[in-house]
């Protein structure tokens, strides 16, 4: 009876509609497992006889299917380093077609997308401005902390320490609009997938909702007790945030103006990303990486000291987790710190295990990580300093963007061919 009570306490309160949806998904998953040996359906619009795209969610399918990956260690000689920022890279995004990378840094300049992935060429640079002159000049006048790109590749949003959000035409690098309203640094941005609705998070402890297509402010949500350090969203009308030293991760349900509170890390939660619509990953400065299910208040898995320990002034302290990334709707994760490597991880069945796969040597603070949509490369934003402060400086690090190729072997989950690739 005690165990049942404890399990019930861990469950997040559900509305009747949410319970019906969860039970329906559970039933459909059981049906899927029973019919696993059948050929996989092809996405609508695919050519007859074409192989199904493992990354595509089949239209009408109520549940995604995990993509189980075996990633081989990349050849260090094939890791490409793009140089151009004078100060530490703080954030980056990859265009939806995987052709371009947008990056930003503490120097205030925005190299807007126009790093071309294939050639490594820098296609566009937007120089920084002096504080108070942002209306007259194109660029930011302070550290850029976050950026996001819409799922159609039309809009790019950037947020800075000076409380401003700038909206750009991703194709031309032209600034379209400035959003004001936050009362402190803008630390997280995400477009809702399939829309031009933008979510922003700030050190002022609130989340704001914007309609970029209409250049309009929509709503403000309150709840965190400390600065918000990261934000992410997918297709649903909700977003998740990391609350720094308030020790919580929160799921914000925008239409209901409600929130679910999750706790489990011991330190400041500095980064977060959704893996799919039901699971997310977060990292903290206590060195832990957590996997969460959106129906549990506590982590499904908590990997402590994920990047090991360092000797700081004679004391053993864990390496901070400064960046996390997930290949959407798959079991592949990446984490970054200043430990000298990016680590790749595989999520176990039901997201209740976290298996370390391999290390990719990189010197410096890993301030941002992003997988390409196709999963064939990983991009890391490297700096001599952490994106949020100047606690340490790694002099031998290069302020740069690293493109890491990933060799993949997809293992079939069908019982007919357990060892095929």
């Amino acid at each position: 009876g005690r165990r049942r009570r404890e399990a019930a306490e861990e469950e997040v309160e559900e509305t009747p509609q949410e319970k019906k949806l969860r039970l329906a998904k559970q039933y459909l998953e059981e049906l899927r497992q029973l019919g696993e040996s059948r050929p996989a359906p092809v996405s609508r619009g695919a050519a007859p006889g074409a192989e199904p795209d493992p990354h595509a969610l089949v239209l009408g399918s109520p549940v995604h299917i995990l993509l189980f990956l075996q990633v081989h260690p990349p050849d260090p000689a094939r890791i490409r380093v793009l140089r151009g920022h004078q100060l530490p890279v703080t954030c980056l995004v990859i265009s939806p077609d995987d052709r371009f990378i947008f990056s930003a840094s503490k120097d205030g300049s925005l190299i807007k997308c126009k790093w071309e992935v294939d050639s490594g060429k820098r296609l566009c640079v937007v120089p920084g401005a002096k504080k108070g002159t942002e209306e007259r000049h194109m660029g930011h006048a302070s550290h850029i902390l976050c950026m996001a790109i819409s799922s159609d590749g039309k809009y790019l949003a950037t947020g800075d320490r000076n409380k401003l959000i700038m909206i750009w035409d991703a194709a031309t690098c032209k600034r379209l609009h400035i959003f004001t309203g936050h009362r402190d640094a803008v630390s997280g941005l995400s477009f809702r997938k399939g829309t031009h609705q933008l979510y922003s998070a700030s050190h002022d402890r609130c989340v704001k909702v914007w309609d970029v297509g209409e250049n309009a402010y929509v709503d403000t949500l309150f709840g965190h007790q400390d600065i918000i350090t990261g934000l992410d969203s997918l297709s649903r009308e909700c977003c998740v945030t990391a609350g720094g030293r308030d020790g919580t991760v929160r799921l914000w349900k925008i239409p209901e103006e409600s929130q679910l509170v999750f706790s489990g890390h011991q330190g400041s939660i500095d980064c977060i990303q959704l893996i799919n619509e039901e699971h997310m990953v977060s990292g903290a400065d206590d060195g832990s990486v957590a996997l969460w299910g959106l129906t549990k208040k506590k982590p499904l898995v908590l990997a402590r000291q994920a990047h090991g320990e360092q000797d700081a002034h004679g004391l053993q302290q864990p390496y901070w987790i400064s960046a996390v990334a997930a290949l959407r709707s798959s079991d592949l994760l990446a984490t970054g710190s200043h430990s000298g490597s990016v680590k790749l991880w595989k999520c176990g069945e039901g997201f209740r295990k976290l298996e370390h796969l391999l290390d990719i040597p990189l010197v410096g603070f890993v301030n941002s990580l992003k997988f390409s949509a196709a999963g064939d490369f990983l991009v890391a934003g490297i700096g001599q300093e952490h994106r949020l402060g100047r606690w340490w400086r790694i002099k031998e690090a290069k302020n740069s963007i690293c493109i890491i190729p990933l060799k993949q072997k997809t293992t079939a989950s069908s019982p007919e061919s357990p060892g095929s690739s």
Side-chain angles (χ1 to χ4, degrees):
R2 181 174 57 83
R3 284 197 295 270
R4 282 198 296 270
R5 284 196 301 274
E6 287 175 353
E9 286 173 2
E10 280 194 6
E11 296 290 337
V12 174
E13 292 183 9
E14 293 179 295
T15 65
Q17 293 82 3
E18 288 172 333
K19 185 174 181 180
K20 286 179 183 177
L21 180 62
R22 178 173 60 81
L23 293 174
K25 285 185 176 181
Q26 191 174 330
Y27 173 67
L28 288 165
E29 175 64 16
E30 290 169 1
L31 289 179
R32 185 188 72 78
Q33 290 174 358
L34 287 172
E36 254 183 351
S37 57
R38 299 176 189 170
V42 178
S43 305
R44 184 177 296 180
E51 288 292 320
D53 179 2
H55 299 277
L57 182 63
V58 178
L59 198 60
S61 171
V63 289
H64 67 274
I65 297 174
L66 285 178
L67 175 67
F68 293 95
L69 294 174
Q70 290 182 352
V71 181
H72 299 278
D75 180 356
R78 296 188 62 218
I79 297 176
R80 291 187 291 150
V81 180
L82 310 182
R83 299 289 307 278
H85 289 293
Q86 300 302 310
L87 294 180
V89 175
T90 54
C91 54
L92 57 83
V93 292
I94 305 171
S95 63
D97 59 8
D98 289 346
R99 292 179 57 201
F100 305 106
I101 298 168
F102 297 81
S103 64
S105 81
K106 288 186 178 183
D107 56 21
S109 68
L110 175 65
I111 298 180
K112 284 177 42 74
C113 186
K114 305 277 180 166
W115 297 101
E116 189 174 46
V117 171
D118 287 343
S119 67
K121 289 181 180 178
R122 190 172 67 183
L123 302 181
C124 181
V125 178
V126 178
K130 290 186 178 180
K131 190 171 181 179
T133 66
E134 292 93 344
E135 290 287 352
R136 299 193 301 275
H137 297 87
M138 285 278 283
H140 287 270
S142 60
H143 298 177
I144 301 168
L145 298 181
C146 54
M147 59 170 49
I149 191 166
S150 59
S151 55
D152 61 0
K154 183 176 181 180
Y155 295 115
L156 182 75
T158 53
D160 68 15
R161 280 199 177 276
N162 200 27
K163 316 170 194 176
L164 300 179
I165 300 169
M166 294 191 182
I167 307 298
W168 309 80
D169 183 313
T172 64
C173 299
K174 180 182 177 182
R175 194 180 71 200
L176 304 175
H177 194 68
I178 298 179
F179 286 136
T180 59
H182 279 296
R183 292 176 286 109
D184 206 336
V186 181
S187 53
L189 290 168
S190 181
F191 280 94
R192 180 185 171 199
K193 192 175 179 181
T195 75
H196 292 148
Q197 188 175 63
L198 177 68
Y199 305 124
S200 64
S202 168
H203 288 183
D204 65 12
R205 301 180 293 180
C206 72
V207 174
K208 290 186 183 289
V209 186
W210 314 84
D211 186 332
V212 172
E214 299 294 328
N215 289 337
Y217 159 79
V218 177
D219 201 2
T220 301
L221 306 170
F222 300 93
H224 276 294
Q225 303 302 305
D226 191 34
I227 65 171
I228 303 175
T229 54
L231 175 146
D232 196 25
S233 67
L234 281 174
S235 300
R236 293 181 183 173
E237 199 169 354
C238 62
C239 62
V240 294
T241 53
R245 296 212 169 274
D246 77 2
T248 67
V249 165
R250 300 191 184 221
L251 169 68
W252 304 82
K253 299 181 177 182
I254 309 300
E256 297 93 335
E257 295 188 357
S258 65
Q259 58 190 284
L260 300 178
V261 181
F262 306 81
S263 58
H265 289 287
Q266 298 301 311
S268 174
I269 308 172
D270 287 350
C271 44
I272 190 165
Q273 188 169 10
L274 283 160
I275 302 169
N276 52 48
E277 298 285 8
E278 304 292 340
H279 300 90
M280 57 187 170
V281 59
S282 61
D285 71 359
D286 64 358
S288 61
V289 174
L291 288 181
W292 309 82
L294 298 188
T295 58
K296 293 277 188 182
K297 290 182 179 179
K298 300 294 182 183
L300 300 176
V301 182
L302 185 66
R304 302 182 188 277
Q305 298 181 9
H307 279 251
E309 289 186 313
Q310 62 179 326
D311 185 2
H313 307 295
L315 297 174
Q316 291 298 113
Q317 295 184 353
Y319 283 104
W320 295 7
I321 307 301
S322 52
V324 294
L327 180 57
R328 302 290 195 188
S329 297
S330 84
D331 62 351
L332 184 63
L333 305 178
T335 59
S337 181
H338 61 288
S339 60
S341 66
V342 167
K343 291 183 180 289
L344 296 188
W345 308 80
K346 175 187 165 97
C347 302
E349 187 175 351
F351 292 90
R352 294 184 179 275
K353 290 183 181 178
L354 196 58
E355 175 189 343
H356 176 237
L357 292 176
L358 56 93
D359 289 0
I360 302 167
L362 285 178
V363 178
F365 282 87
V366 181
N367 288 325
S368 186
L369 286 169
K370 289 290 186 295
F371 283 101
S372 64
D376 55 350
F377 64 90
L378 173 69
V379 181
I382 307 296
Q384 292 182 332
E385 302 168 349
H386 190 283
R387 71 184 181 98
L388 295 178
R390 305 193 68 181
W391 300 284
W392 298 285
R393 189 164 185 265
I394 301 175
K395 292 181 180 179
E396 60 270 27
K398 307 295 184 185
N399 298 320
S400 59
I401 295 149
C402 296
I403 302 176
I404 304 159
L406 299 176
K407 296 178 182 177
Q408 297 175 3
K409 182 171 67 176
T410 307
T411 57
S413 58
S414 168
E416 297 172 357
S417 53
S420 64
S421 62

